[in-house]
Structure formats: C-alpha cells, structure tokens
Amino acid sequence: MKLIKNHLIALLAIFSLAFVNTSCFNDDGDDKNPQYFVEFVTVNASSDGMGWFENAGAKYYPAGLPASIELSKYIGNRAYITYSLSDKTMPGFDKVISLAALNIAITEFGVQYVSTQEEYDALGKEPISLEKNNTHLDSNWLDLIVSYFYDKEVGTTFSLVAPDASLLPEGFVIPDGYIYMELHMKAEKEYLKVNRVESLVSFKLDDAHNPDIQGYKGIYLKIDNGSLNPIYLTIDKVTN
C-alpha cells in the first residue's frame, strides 16, 4: 500500500492556473462568454512532451497550454480541470479544450488494510472536512477535494483504509450495496491548527475495492472531522 505525502500535495494539488478569459484560450475569438465545464481526469503525455487529459469516456487535448506546465512530470496523476470547448480539432483526440484552471493531485494506488487495534490507532485522526459534492467515484478512482489544517514544516500523510470488520462498532450498519472505507490523515508531530488548505486527494482502487469488479454501487466513507461525531458519506459511482 502506498500513501499520499501531503507536504507535496499542498504544493501541487492546489496548482490553480488563472487562465479564464485570457486571449490564448479564446480560440474562435467570437464567443466572449464560453460555457465552462469541470471534470476529474488523468494526466497523460507522449515522449515528445505533448500532454493531454483522459477520463473514462474521452481524450482531451489542451489548446494553448503554457510551456511552463510540464505535464510529462505528472503522467498517471489525477487532476481536476475547468475548461471550455474549442472549435479546433486534433487527430486522435475526442475534444480540444481551453483550460481555465488545473488542479493536480499527487496520486497513489491501493487501499490500506488494517486488522488490529494497534494498526488502526497508528493511522492518525487529524481533522478533515469533506463535502459530498466534492467527491467523485468511477470504475477505478476515488477523488476527494478535502479541506484540512496545514503547516509546511510538518509532514502529513493521507491513507484510504479498509478496517477489519472486528474493528467496527458493534451493530455498525453499512448501507446496502456499498463498501466501507475510511479516510485518515496523520501528522508527523503536533502543530498549530491555524491555516486551512484545500487539496485534491486521489486513490486508484485495487480490484478488491473496485465497484465494477465487486458489483458495489458505491463507497460508504468515514471522515474524522475533529468532533466526537465523524462524517459518513455515501459516494455513488458515476455512470457515463
């Protein structure tokens, strides 16, 4: 199991590029008020450095991507993009898009299994905020835009956890058709919880937790928010 190192996420996941309404993205010059879309995608790039984005249904080529953004550094990473459609075409791509904002996540694979109370206690319980409309689950990925306290001097780690059933409270009920997992955040040391940031945290699901393979309709996710009553969210798999 690999974990997300959050001191890097804070630098990369909130890599928002303020491109809206700049001339290099108004491809046709006529549409002064383009319609914008938002989407979770995977970053790809060819050997010559040409970058593009991909989701389950389409390949997007970003027209006018600034040279300072080397997408080849982030191949396989998840990203959250805001874009408008261009009237240009590119062979091999379903759409040419004009980026308005790009948020890149440090992306890892897998789910951590814990079977003892000692393992569970070691996961960390730093407070996290997460709204249901900031979640995305497809056939392979769980994407979460989370809010949390951050200190650049303190390393923190996110983990997506599948605890053994023996660690759940007696009588704990999981909604029918869902798999149960938890999101944990661990800090290397104590720090002042003053500054909050938002980051895109993405996990690629292993076969044992892939909704399509296992026949589940979604994830029932626990998030510790710092109170005595944690948040439980039902996250349904999106359908194309």
Side-chain angles (χ1 to χ4, degrees), residues 90-126:
M90 176 68 69
F93 292 89
D94 298 283
K95 298 177 183 178
V96 176
I97 63 173
S98 300
L99 279 178
L102 168 64
N103 297 270
I104 299 177
I106 298 296
T107 306
E108 296 292 350
F109 294 77
V111 177
Q112 183 174 353
Y113 298 84
V114 294
S115 58
T116 68
Q117 189 63 48
E118 290 75 18
E119 291 174 332
Y120 187 83
D121 293 340
L123 294 170
K125 296 182 68 175
E126 296 293 329

